[in-house]
Amino acid sequence: MDQQVAGGGKIVKDKILLALEKGEVKITGALSEDSSGAIIRPGKGVEVYLNGGQVTGQAEVVPGDRVELKPGVEIEPDRVEIRISGDELKAEARYIGGKTTTYTVPDHPPTGDLTVDGVSREENLSTLTEGEIMGAVREQRISYGLDESVLGSLPDHEGEWQLIACGDAVQQGKDGRVETLFEGGVKSVSYADEESRVDFRKRFEIVQVNEGDVIALIHPPTPGIPGRSVTGRELHPDPVKKAEVNCEGGAVLSSDQKQVLAACRGVPAYKKGRMHSFRVDDIYIHQGDIDIKSGNIDFRGHFKVQGAVTEGMKVSADGNIEIGDNAAGSKILAGGSIVFKGNCIKCTVQAGWVDLVLKETYNTLDRMEESINNALAASEEVARALEAKGRHSEQMESAVIRALLQSKFTELPEYAGLLMKSLKDAGRSLPQNLVETIKDIAPYFIDFQYSQGLGRPVLYEIRNRLSALHEGREIKDVRADITAPYVQNSILLCTGDIIIPGPGAYNSKLSCSGEVNISRLFRGGTIEAGGDVYIGEAGTPRITADQGLVAVPSKSRVHLGVAYENIRIRFGITDYRCEKNLQNVIAILDQQDYEVKVLPWENTPRK
């Protein structure tokens, strides 16, 4: 039906409109030939039905249509979420509460295009029982280390992950290992606070071991302990391996295979790889020079210097020594032989050094024992004289004996000083009973506080200690040689031979128990040999008052390729001086008339 607009004008047709009242759809307006229906569509939480069919998109509504609305109800049940750690040692759970969402249709004024949106209202929902929670846990096969008390309290901590089960972690075992008991290479020398004298030239110490020393411990492998996952599965530890040990030269395994032992005295070495390799070298090779940077060297085995030994330095070793370059202004001491590849200039050299020190020490002790015996005889006379005068007392006797020793036996402090020097130089290489005896008796003669106790009882005790050293006295007859191509202004002393294959020896003192062989020149100085002497050329062409001395035992021979005038040769106590130049001769001492004879040297002279 048309309507008249106020003021006279246009006629408008009625529209079809839709309104919502109390949850129902109201349709107004009339349908005509040129009119269209109103549009309706379902919104959130509400289903729309038109003439019995559900509207899924949008639909046109006209008067006479039947429109029904069904507000929705959404139910989200409560639940339990479970997670298991990657290593299967932990299981956690959390409770997620449920909810019910109910929709109602609000009123809406008339409109030609209606979207029916519901208004939601939520209510919490909690329906899970403890049995249902346990069922969810079992579905995940969680059976080990479960804490059931936590399951019942899950709803009290909604949304929070709670630890519900713990497995047993695998305790991994340990592979067998090797524990070394030494520091490799060299270490800095440290001095105790009470040491009054410090050798600032000895900066490093070569790490060494003795035969039989334990240089490493072999620890067996420790098996691991299996674990168990929260699902009850056994977790296996990794397999363990024993330490593989290889003993090279100078090192051996103990009988129980638990230790590595040094088979000789020397420098231990260790190399770690697939195998743990050990060895003990009886020779130590020093790279470079012996100088103030390296410090003095004191070694108990064989020692090899690839470089030089510089001025003021000292090298000592119980074994052999080899010096690859020149040695100048230094001291070289070896228990064995010494080989110079370069020149030896202004050096003090001793080969068979420990043997020489030991012999000298015993000689000093013998002289001290003789002086002590003389002092005891004198002290007995002093005691008898004091008793005869009625003035004898222990205090008086000690005072008189001390005065007697200080005035008549002044050599005793000197002997004591020599003995202490022997300890300082070679104490670690001397027999232990000898070292202890020297430490006990020497202070009585060089230390004022000790000397206050000198009396006959102390002298008898010292004499007895010295006498006891005669038993088991061992002096190894070590034959140690010295070889050097060129020697100048040096002192060479050894228990074997001295060999000079190069240019020769100049203004040096050569002393040995064996032979001396100088291929070329001997000019100035002395030779004291225990055997024969071979010299290519002795003295200088020009006449000088002293061309040098060669001293040998009476039965030895002196072989001379060339000998210049004034060269002296001594056989025992018999001296001979060359009155003219000689060539290719042998000098000997006739054992019947004790005259020196010079004979032709039939063999080619050594050069």
Side-chain angles (χ1 to χ4, degrees):
M1 183 176 61
D2 294 338
Q3 294 181 348
Q4 180 70 39
V5 177
K10 191 174 179 183
I11 300 292
V12 180
K13 297 180 179 179
D14 288 337
K15 283 187 175 182
I16 298 175
L17 301 175
L18 301 177
L20 295 175
E21 294 180 4
K22 297 181 180 181
E24 295 182 355
V25 177
K26 301 296 183 179
I27 307 171
T28 60
L31 181 63
S32 62
E33 293 181 2
D34 57 353
S35 67
S36 58
I39 300 300
I40 191 170
R41 63 177 63 82
K44 182 178 179 181
V46 180
E47 295 179 357
V48 177
Y49 293 85
L50 178 62
N51 299 322
Q54 186 175 2
V55 177
T56 57
Q58 64 181 29
E60 186 176 338
V61 179
V62 298
D65 286 339
R66 181 167 52 87
V67 179
E68 296 178 282
L69 303 179
K70 290 186 178 180
V73 176
E74 297 176 359
I75 298 176
E76 184 179 342
D78 53 347
R79 67 188 185 279
V80 172
E81 295 180 349
I82 297 172
R83 65 184 182 187
I84 298 175
S85 62
D87 58 8
E88 300 184 32
L89 293 177
K90 291 194 303 182
E92 294 177 309
R94 68 176 177 180
Y95 173 79
I96 305 297
K99 62 182 177 179
T100 301
T101 303
T102 304
Y103 292 91
T104 59
V105 180
D107 291 348
H108 194 285
T111 179
D113 189 333
L114 177 63
T115 299
V116 183
D117 283 319
V119 175
S120 64
R121 182 171 62 86
E122 294 182 354
E123 293 182 0
N124 292 332
L125 180 65
S126 179
T127 61
L128 282 179
T129 64
E130 289 188 13
E132 291 172 326
I133 294 175
M134 178 62 77
V137 170
R138 288 174 179 168
E139 285 181 5
Q140 299 297 322
R141 298 184 180 180
I142 298 172
S143 59
Y144 185 79
L146 182 64
D147 188 350
E148 295 185 9
S149 64
V150 177
L151 296 179
S153 64
L154 286 177
D156 298 333
H157 305 278
E158 183 177 353
E160 299 178 12
W161 287 102
Q162 302 291 313
L163 184 65
I164 62 171
C166 287
D168 292 334
V170 171
Q171 296 183 35
Q172 297 293 351
K174 295 181 179 179
D175 290 340
R177 63 186 179 89
V178 172
E179 179 186 358
T180 57
L181 302 181
F182 63 89
E183 300 177 24
V186 298
K187 63 180 180 179
S188 297
V189 173
S190 60
Y191 296 94
D193 294 338
E194 63 272 12
E195 293 188 55
S196 58
R197 299 186 65 182
V198 174
D199 183 359
F200 291 103
R201 287 184 178 269
K202 186 176 181 181
R203 302 183 60 228
F204 301 100
E205 184 176 19
I206 301 169
V207 176
Q208 299 171 260
V209 294
N210 292 315
E211 181 179 355
D213 284 354
V214 179
I215 62 176
L217 301 177
I218 304 172
H219 297 280
T222 303
I225 300 175
R228 191 170 295 276
S229 73
V230 293
T231 61
R233 184 171 66 88
E234 186 175 15
L235 305 176
H236 298 284
D238 297 334
V240 294
K241 298 177 292 184
K242 70 175 184 178
E244 298 291 338
V245 176
N246 177 39
C247 290
E248 300 175 356
V252 295
L253 285 174
S254 62
S255 58
D256 60 5
Q257 307 289 297
K258 294 181 179 180
Q259 297 175 333
V260 179
L261 307 176
C264 65
R265 186 172 64 179
V267 180
Y270 167 60
K271 182 179 180 182
K272 183 178 181 181
R274 186 181 64 84
M275 298 279 289
H276 299 267
S277 296
F278 290 89
R279 72 176 189 275
V280 177
D281 298 322
D282 63 353
I283 182 170
Y284 182 81
I285 300 176
H286 177 82
Q287 308 290 336
D289 298 339
I290 301 296
D291 51 21
I292 195 65
K293 183 178 180 181
S294 69
N296 291 335
I297 297 297
D298 184 14
F299 186 62
R300 288 182 288 176
H302 303 308
F303 188 76
K304 182 176 181 180
V305 183
Q306 290 194 332
V309 181
T310 62
E311 186 172 359
M313 304 310 296
K314 177 182 177 182
V315 176
S316 61
D318 288 357
N320 299 330
I321 293 178
E322 179 180 311
I323 298 172
D325 206 337
N326 298 329
S330 54
K331 192 172 186 178
I332 315 295
L333 307 175
S337 297
I338 300 173
V339 174
F340 293 86
K341 295 297 183 70
N343 300 326
C344 175
I345 301 172
K346 293 183 179 180
C347 293
T348 299
V349 183
Q350 292 184 20
W353 162 63
V354 177
D355 190 39
L356 292 170
V357 171
L358 191 58
K359 289 178 180 178
E360 184 179 339
T361 300
Y362 279 129
N363 287 336
T364 301
L365 287 168
D366 291 342
R367 294 197 299 272
M368 175 178 274
E369 184 178 3
E370 181 181 356
S371 294
I372 293 294
N373 283 328
N374 293 334
L376 279 170
S379 65
E380 294 290 346
E381 294 181 7
V382 168
R384 286 194 294 270
L386 291 174
E387 289 175 354
K389 295 179 180 180
R391 299 175 57 189
H392 183 271
S393 68
E394 184 176 337
Q395 185 176 4
M396 176 62 73
E397 178 185 316
S398 295
V400 174
I401 289 176
R402 285 199 304 273
L404 176 68
L405 292 174
Q406 292 170 1
S407 60
K408 300 295 184 181
F409 298 93
T410 56
E411 72 276 11
L412 287 172
E414 178 185 350
Y415 295 156
L418 291 173
L419 294 174
M420 293 303 292
K421 184 178 183 300
S422 297
L423 288 191
K424 179 183 176 183
D425 291 343
R428 60 176 172 77
S429 302
L430 299 178
Q432 189 60 32
N433 66 328
L434 178 60
V435 172
E436 292 175 357
T437 299
I438 293 174
K439 286 182 177 180
D440 289 344
I441 67 175
Y444 282 106
F445 304 103
I446 57 178
D447 187 302
F448 176 77
Q449 290 184 345
Y450 273 83
S451 67
Q452 300 304 300
L454 277 175
R456 276 189 300 167
V458 173
L459 288 176
Y460 275 115
E461 181 183 351
I462 292 173
R463 195 269 307 274
N464 293 338
R465 292 287 298 273
L466 293 174
S467 297
L469 290 176
H470 290 282
E471 297 181 8
R473 181 180 292 191
E474 290 185 8
I475 300 178
K476 297 179 181 179
D477 191 13
V478 178
R479 188 172 182 84
D481 303 331
I482 297 175
T483 302
Y486 177 79
V487 178
Q488 178 183 327
N489 297 112
S490 296
I491 299 173
L492 274 60
L493 177 65
C494 71
T495 58
D497 299 335
I498 295 177
I499 303 114
I500 303 178
Y506 291 77
N507 299 318
S508 296
K509 179 180 179 180
L510 313 180
S511 178
C512 67
S513 301
E515 296 182 350
V516 172
N517 190 326
I518 301 175
S519 297
R520 294 180 63 187
L521 303 177
F522 168 66
R523 289 182 173 167
T526 61
I527 294 175
E528 296 177 1
D532 291 351
V533 174
Y534 299 83
I535 300 175
E537 184 177 322
T540 59
R542 62 183 181 274
I543 299 175
T544 61
D546 189 2
Q547 295 273 35
L549 169 67
V550 178
V552 296
S554 59
K555 293 185 179 182
S556 293
R557 297 186 172 199
V558 177
H559 302 69
L560 301 167
V562 174
Y564 293 107
E565 184 178 346
N566 284 340
I567 279 289
R568 290 186 300 142
I569 303 174
R570 178 180 298 155
F571 292 92
I573 59 174
T574 303
D575 280 358
Y576 171 80
R577 183 185 292 271
C578 292
E579 296 179 352
K580 62 179 180 178
N581 296 340
L582 302 173
Q583 189 170 5
N584 293 339
V585 297
I586 298 175
I588 63 173
L589 178 66
D590 189 296
Q591 300 299 308
Q592 293 183 349
D593 56 17
Y594 285 94
E595 289 185 359
V596 176
K597 295 184 177 181
V598 178
L599 307 174
W601 185 359
E602 297 177 356
N603 297 326
T604 302
R606 300 187 183 187
K607 294 184 179 179

